[in-house]
Amino acid sequence: MLLWTAAGVTVLGFLVALEVAARHYGAPGPIANQAREVVFAPASGPLLYASLALTMVVLTWRERFVAFGAAVGADLVLNLVRWAAGAETGFGNGALWVILGCAVVALTRRTGRERVLLLKGVGLGLLLVAGRKTGDAWLLITSKTRPTVLDRYLASADHALGNPSWVAGRIIEATGPVGHHVLDFVYTMLPVAAVVVAAWQLRKVAAERRFPRHHLVRTFLVIGLLGPAVYMIFPVVGPVFAYGDGAWGTGGGQWAVAHLWPHTLPPADAPQHMPYDEFTPRNCMPSLHTAWAVTIFIHSRTAPRVLRWAGAAWLVATLTATLGFGYHYGADLVAGVVFAYTVEAALRTFDRGADRTGVLLVAYGTTVFAALLVAYRFLPVEMAAHPWVAGPLLLLVMASVVYGYTRTVRLWDPEAAPVEAPPARPQPELV
């Protein structure tokens, strides 16, 4: 209970700090944006229902049906009122109302362990929403505080990987609107996919009246908390903005170095800092969409076959979308994979009480991630000049972190040995 209270106070203080920072730049922060969605049409309806699904893991099946029905009913009534008043319609308010209602019930009608369990469910749901709003505030801060970006460095380093964003961009362009819309759905619905896997992991909470020590939502939130801090160190806007020509309604316009993406490869000589506008997020390094998709993949490995295949398919589609839409360079994806496995290893090590093997793995992953950033910043021309050395080396160090994590987890959680049947007792002979 003390740990949950400390975590709650820390998160609240962090949200207040982001609210103040966002107000300083003339925009509402995460607290104001979330408070607005109590009444006005939400901008994140699917996410709010996904958050309700997380909260409902602590409820009985009867309570789940009542909660979901109340959420849908409230949304229908609100939208009828908005339609009659000529206001913007949307859904998700009902889900938020039910989550807040669960908090009221916990404080007024529950006691002891039942109160704590229900409050944990409410906190879990609200943390998912707060994570989204916090990310929006972080992106605003990156665009306001980082007037120059490092895209030309990453574009040069990406020659070592074969410029995958340019290749994927041409492939998606060839698939037409169908491929674009499918991948866009996968890209935007990533939190919902995470909730599906998390709901499977937390399916026994209502029966056992406790949460498991480690689950997907924790890793998801920690990645969203730490990742934007790296944005401030290594600000990058992405190929479609730094080199784009306005494909699919995006592009850098006058701020782009040149209109090259996705048909003409950028030069790899003498990269420099480049100025950029004050509203495009610097949210490329590392690719958090990649990190989150990798986390979904990791946590789906112990799920039923359908979820395992879905986790693998979602990972492939997310990687394709991040590159094909021009939102990331290949170097971002390599860093995102290393980042995800390092965070996952850190959380598992924390659960085991600073296990020596886990500490070494986290230190190694952190070192590799820092080395990637240094190489992208100070050795991009050399990487582009020797692609057959730099490219395989990048993939090798990434694979070494993945292998180290997989090997360590197998040591921690070995497969159960088959139980041998006891030898049959000899039967006495009948005389």
Side-chain angles (χ1 to χ4, degrees):
M1 188 61 186
L2 289 175
L3 182 62
W4 276 85
T5 302
V9 171
T10 302
V11 171
L12 181 59
F14 182 68
L15 290 176
V16 170
L18 283 181
E19 183 74 27
V20 173
R23 292 285 180 178
H24 175 73
Y25 293 109
I31 298 176
N33 279 330
Q34 192 56 63
R36 181 184 182 278
E37 293 189 346
V38 175
V39 178
F40 297 98
S44 53
L47 185 66
L48 287 170
Y49 271 92
S51 301
L52 176 61
L54 286 181
T55 299
M56 290 194 300
V57 299
V58 303
L59 305 179
T60 64
W61 277 107
R62 179 180 176 276
E63 291 169 337
R64 290 170 186 171
F65 284 121
V66 172
F68 183 74
V72 173
D75 271 332
L76 290 175
V77 172
L78 282 172
N79 278 305
L80 285 174
V81 173
R82 289 169 182 153
W83 175 75
E88 179 185 3
T89 59
F91 69 96
N93 302 91
L96 183 57
W97 286 10
V98 171
I99 295 173
L100 297 176
C102 288
V104 174
V105 170
L107 295 174
T108 59
R109 304 293 296 275
R110 302 286 178 87
T111 58
R113 293 182 61 186
E114 293 299 314
R115 172 184 289 178
V116 172
L117 185 68
L118 186 52
L119 286 177
K120 285 183 178 180
V122 171
L124 199 63
L126 291 179
L127 275 176
L128 183 62
V129 181
R132 173 66 177 270
K133 302 303 180 184
T134 299
D136 293 341
W138 262 119
L139 298 184
L140 171 69
I141 293 172
T142 62
S143 64
K144 298 294 185 181
T145 60
R146 294 296 179 267
T148 61
V149 296
L150 304 177
D151 282 75
R152 298 180 71 173
Y153 292 88
L154 281 191
S156 297
D158 233 29
H159 282 268
L161 297 171
N163 301 97
S165 182
W166 270 254
V167 176
R170 290 195 293 270
I171 292 174
I172 293 183
E173 190 177 56
T175 63
V178 175
H180 177 270
H181 289 309
V182 169
L183 290 176
D184 183 64
F185 174 81
V186 171
Y187 192 82
T188 56
M189 291 293 106
L190 186 65
V192 179
V195 168
V196 172
V197 176
W200 178 83
Q201 290 183 320
L202 303 175
R203 67 195 184 281
K204 297 181 180 179
V205 169
E208 298 179 353
R209 316 310 292 166
R210 64 181 181 86
F211 279 84
R213 290 182 61 86
H214 182 63
H215 51 82
L216 171 63
V217 180
R218 293 203 318 168
T219 310
F220 223 75
L221 293 173
V222 172
I223 286 175
L225 179 66
L226 298 179
V230 186
Y231 295 163
M232 305 293 287
I233 301 172
F234 209 110
V236 182
V237 293
V240 72
F241 298 106
Y243 296 94
D245 57 358
W248 302 311
T250 59
Q254 64 176 342
W255 296 98
V257 177
H259 293 167
L260 304 177
W261 186 88
H263 299 289
T264 305
L265 295 181
D269 55 339
Q272 299 175 354
H273 288 63
M274 54 178 286
Y276 215 80
D277 61 37
E278 296 183 358
F279 54 85
T280 302
R282 280 63 163 152
N283 61 338
C284 284
M285 176 56 68
S287 170
L288 293 194
H289 262 78
T290 297
W292 284 321
V294 167
T295 304
I296 293 173
F297 174 81
I298 293 172
H299 283 262
S300 66
R301 294 307 87 197
T302 56
R305 180 177 299 178
V306 173
L307 280 182
R308 292 201 303 270
W309 280 101
W314 210 279
L315 174 61
V316 173
T318 300
L319 298 181
T320 304
T322 55
L323 291 172
F325 290 156
Y327 296 152
H328 289 281
Y329 302 91
D332 303 335
L333 273 61
V334 173
V337 172
V338 174
F339 186 73
Y341 274 96
T342 303
V343 171
E344 181 72 13
L347 291 175
R348 285 184 176 269
T349 301
F350 176 80
D351 290 336
R352 294 182 60 85
D355 179 270
R356 179 177 180 273
T357 305
V359 171
L360 291 176
L361 176 61
V362 173
Y364 177 69
T366 304
T367 302
V368 170
F369 183 74
L372 289 175
L373 296 184
V374 171
Y376 295 157
R377 172 61 179 83
F378 296 104
L379 300 173
V381 176
E382 290 76 7
M383 294 170 66
H386 303 90
W388 291 105
V389 175
L393 185 59
L394 288 176
L395 299 179
L396 180 62
V397 295
M398 179 188 73
S400 68
V401 175
V402 176
Y403 173 76
Y405 172 85
T406 305
R407 182 174 179 272
T408 302
V409 169
R410 285 178 178 173
L411 291 175
W412 287 342
D413 303 314
E415 296 180 358
V419 179
E420 296 182 359
R425 295 180 62 183
Q427 297 296 328
E429 296 183 0
L430 296 178
V431 177

